[in-house]
Structures are given as C-alpha cells and as structure tokens.
Amino acid sequence: MRYLFISDLHLEAQRPDITRAFLHLLQTRAVAADALYILGDFFEVWLGDDNPDPLADQISSALLALSHRGVAIYLMHGNRDFLIGRDFCRRSGCTLLNDPTVIEINGEPVLLMHGDSLCTDDTDYLRLRRWLRNPLSLFILRHLPLKTRHRLGRKLRNESQERTRYKALEITDVNHDEVLKVMREHGTSTLIHGHTHRPAVHQLEVDGKPVQRIVLGDWDSNGWALEVDEDGYRLGRFELG
Ligand code: LP5
C-alpha cells in the first residue's frame, strides 16, 4: 500500500500557485497512491459548505475525479476549516476523519492529528478552540447568516494574527509531554500531524521504546508531502512550480 499525507495547504483564491501545485500533485503522486490523507487546514478559511466558492468547486471536482480513479481520500479538520461538513465531503468523495484517528500502516498503528490540540502551552488558543468546537457553538455557527460568518471569521483571523505575533515560539509549538501522553494513550510508535508549520521527523522515546513524530509542512514558498510505503516514511519538500 502507498499512502500520501499532506496538510496546511491554506488554499485560497489569492494563491493560484498553491492550487496549481495541489492539482498537479493529484494528477501525479496522488493517483499513484492507494490513499490520500489531508490532515487539516486544507483551506485558508472555511465558512461553511453553503458558502458559494468557485475555488471549492474546482477542488471538490478534482478530488472526486481522483476518488473515481480508486484512490481513497481522507480529510481531517484543521483550526481554519473545522466547518467543512458532509456536503463538501460528498461532493469531493472524501471521508471525514475524527481528530485524533488511528490507522494501520504496515501492520503498525499510526496516530493522525491536525496538531493544534497538542499545543497545550497556548492556553488562550485552547480556550478559543474549546468554545468554537463544542457541538452547541458549531450548531450556532453553522446556522448564522453567511454575511455574519464572513464578518466574524475576518475578525477572528485579524485577532489571531495580532496575538500570535507576540507569542513565544515554544508556546505555538507542541508540548512534549502532551505528545508522549497521546502516543502512550493510543499505543502508537508513529504520530503524523501538521499545524505548527515546522516540518521535521523527530525521534523520541515513550517508556523506553523508540517512536517518531512526523510534522507535515505548510504550503507557502514550497509544498510538502509525506509518502509512506513498505520501504518506510519519506517527508519531502518540492517546488510549487
Ligand atoms: O491559524 P493560525 O496558525 O494563524 O493560528 C492558530 C490559532 N488561531 C486560530 C484562529 C484562526 O486563525 C481563524 C479561524 C477562522 C475560522 C473561520 C470559520 C469560523 C466562522 C465563524 C467565526 C466565529 O485558530 C492561534 C494559535 C496558533 O494557531 C498557533 O497554534 O496561537 O490562536 C490564537 O491566536 C487565538 C488567540 O490566542 C485568542 C483569540 C481570542 C479571540 C477573541 C475574539 C475575537 C472575535 C471573535 C468572533 C467570534
């Protein structure tokens, strides 16, 4: 089996280069895989499946075409696109994954997360996350008029950009103890996540056993993808073209 993992593309109309690179990846490396996993922040901001958006239509058609070619596509929410719902998934042939999810690769359990919930030192963000992601808030947000969601989404982005500017780098990274805790809880020796925009493969130990934490990169000046097959895990950077 061949797997392809990506995250943090932040697709938006203002970055046609990222959209082009993603469509190219679908037509080349993704068709050669058995499964494509998108681990959150696929879109820069997602205001709801009912928001008319030509970019979303283009992306969902391309994903659907890939799924018709026999590639299984899995999508996890990120902190920017947690309002992606069943309608988008149906249109694009994706299966929505819970965060966290454990899958099996080469007979081993592998833990998949977006990564934001691992940043436990970022207490302000976690408070916001708890509020935004509780079922009642989600229900209310989904039923707000689109214009109101646009306004609130913009306000939240501006506020977030302003506040992250003053946060120390350690605060916006994952907390080491939290990583060990989730890996121990799920009994996995591999964790794959995105969110922090700090692509790397970290070798760690849980209870004396070697484990690895693979951080996917964000697509900005380059693209990033993790390929996995029976030969192992290969995290690579590529030109957007
Ligand atoms: O995304 P990134 O990496 O830049 O920053 C994140 C954290 N910020 C966020 C917020 C998102 O950027 C914006 C999400 C938009 C979603 C739109 C859909 C919803 C529509 C309806 C809206 C109600 O996730 C950032 C982390 C950072 O990652 C690193 O981990 O630090 O967190 C923050 O900056 C949060 C602040 O610390 C606290 C913000 C308090 C907000 C105050 C209220 C403002 C008005 C709210 C209106 C509802």
Side-chain angles (χ1 to χ4, degrees), residues 111-145:
L111 178 60
L112 309 180
M113 302 179 78
H114 175 57
D116 55 335
S117 61
L118 296 168
C119 303
T120 54
D121 296 320
D122 196 347
T123 50
D124 286 352
Y125 169 65
L126 284 191
R127 202 171 310 122
L128 174 71
R129 187 185 196 276
R130 268 195 300 278
W131 185 81
L132 286 174
R133 309 290 277 274
N134 95 51
L136 181 61
S137 308
L138 286 173
F139 178 84
I140 295 170
L141 289 177
R142 287 204 170 96
H143 288 86
L144 286 174

Side-chain angles (χ1 to χ4, degrees), residues 158-177:
N158 290 342
E159 195 69 33
S160 168
Q161 273 169 334
E162 187 58 25
R163 297 203 190 192
T164 41
R165 196 175 306 159
Y166 300 107
K167 287 182 190 173
L169 276 178
E170 311 83 73
I171 287 185
T172 54
D173 202 355
V174 299
N175 174 289
H176 182 67
D177 292 341

Side-chain angles (χ1 to χ4, degrees), residues 88-106:
F88 176 79
C89 291
R90 187 186 45 73
R91 283 191 280 140
S92 52
C94 297
T95 301
L96 200 57
L97 292 179
N98 287 329
D99 181 358
T101 283
V102 177
I103 60 168
E104 199 179 291
I105 296 186
N106 300 335

